[in-house]
Amino acid sequence: MNAFAAAAAVLCANPDLGDDAEYYVAPWNVRHQVRVILSRPDVAAVGFQLSSTVGSYTISLPVAALPEAPVEGGRFDVAGEIYEVRQAQRDETRTMWVVECSLC
């Protein structure tokens, strides 16, 4: 494990940053317990009103927690909210999965 992988594990384990989650792919529903960092959408300005939100969410988790890439259509259950995977890729250090999701 290199320093970046160790840092990723520490960040996800931090209760102020990370959340408990389950990853699964339907219809098998074999669930993998993981710790993730969920980035929620920002509010975007429309005219002079702050009313619309950006429609995607980002979930980050250590590659060591989920050795295979999350697949499109896979799901993360984070505190009762279900997020569906649109795409997943490794970050620049190749130690974190960066997963673009949509709220189901």
Side-chain angles (χ1 to χ4, degrees), residues 7 15 29 37 54 58 60-61 68 73 75 84 94 103:
N29 292 332
I37 297 174
V54 177
T58 302
S60 302
L61 68 151
E68 297 293 321
R75 295 186 174 182
E84 186 171 342
R94 306 199 44 81
L103 188 60

Side-chain angles (χ1 to χ4, degrees), residues 72-92:
E72 184 176 346
R75 295 186 174 182
F76 285 92
D77 182 344
V78 183
E81 295 283 338
I82 308 297
Y83 300 88
E84 186 171 342
V85 176
R86 290 184 185 164
Q87 69 178 34
Q89 60 187 9
R90 289 185 181 190
D91 69 348
E92 296 81 19

